[in-house]
Amino acid sequence: MPHLVPRQPVPALAVPTVDGPAFDLAAATPERFSLVVFYRGLHCPICKTYVSELDRLVKEFADRGVATIAISGDTEERARRTRDDWGLGSVPIGYGLPLDKAREWGLYVSTSRGMTSIGIEEPARFSEPGVFLVRPDGTLYWASVQTMPFARPHFREMLGAIDFVVAKDYPARGEA
């Protein structure tokens, strides 16, 4: 599994989105960062809570110059169900992330255990969560990768951290 390094370029990333143009990280032009949130998929009830929190905070991220996207390996149909069933209306929903691309980003991959607690079948294989802040020049600023859906970074705390980073011109750390 690759190890992404702060201040170094991240892998290419382009996926279709449910309600808009395809997302291509290389073509993104945020003022400060792109916030790339990889989630497990429609089958994950914890992802529903997590991505819903992001959806509520999209404007606050945008006010700070941060573009947001939530991406899974789900099919278009499952991604549309995610948007509709979860009541999402602000965060772009990317889908169709190939497992080899997930691994390039350092994401862990899990095998299906069948039906989830909410009665939705897991895909045969799917990536586990990861959250990345990428600078407009395509270099990694910050990353958090999980092996399970639990204990993810809180978006409200990230907003405060971004305020600090911008105010203090704080450099990406972990580059050595």
Side-chain angles (χ1 to χ4, degrees):
M1 180 179 326
H3 175 73
L4 300 185
V5 178
R7 302 185 195 174
Q8 298 301 310
V10 296
L13 180 62
V15 294
T17 64
V18 170
D19 287 319
F23 172 79
D24 184 347
L25 185 58
T29 58
E31 179 185 352
R32 293 201 171 93
F33 298 104
S34 291
L35 174 60
V36 180
V37 176
F38 295 102
Y39 70 100
R40 300 169 87 215
L42 174 67
H43 65 277
C44 176
I46 296 172
C47 296
K48 177 181 179 180
T49 301
Y50 196 64
V51 175
S52 294
E53 178 190 3
L54 174 61
D55 191 66
R56 287 189 299 276
L57 296 174
V58 164
K59 184 180 180 325
E60 291 189 49
F61 279 104
D63 289 347
R64 289 164 171 83
V66 180
T68 56
I69 187 162
I71 300 171
S72 77
D74 275 348
T75 64
E76 180 179 5
E77 185 271 328
R78 284 174 67 107
R80 286 188 183 284
R81 280 189 58 200
T82 295
R83 180 205 53 205
D84 296 343
D85 294 359
W86 296 2
L88 306 175
S90 297
V91 65
I93 302 298
Y95 61 89
L97 180 72
L99 291 179
D100 61 338
K101 181 57 69 175
R103 286 185 177 104
E104 282 182 44
W105 278 78
L107 301 178
Y108 292 90
V109 174
S110 291
T111 302
S112 176
R113 293 182 45 104
M115 199 67 68
T116 65
S117 63
I118 58 172
I120 298 174
E121 187 79 22
E122 291 181 344
R125 300 186 87 189
F126 57 92
S127 62
E128 292 294 341
V131 181
F132 299 81
L133 270 180
V134 180
R135 289 196 175 274
D137 67 1
T139 59
L140 180 64
Y141 184 78
W142 177 85
S144 177
V145 176
Q146 284 77 38
T147 62
M148 300 183 82
F150 315 110
R152 300 185 211 183
H154 296 279
F155 292 118
R156 179 73 56 199
E157 290 176 14
M158 289 178 65
L159 288 166
I162 289 167
D163 290 342
F164 176 85
V165 162
V166 170
K168 302 295 184 186
D169 194 26
Y170 197 79
R173 304 308 308 258
E175 77 289 351

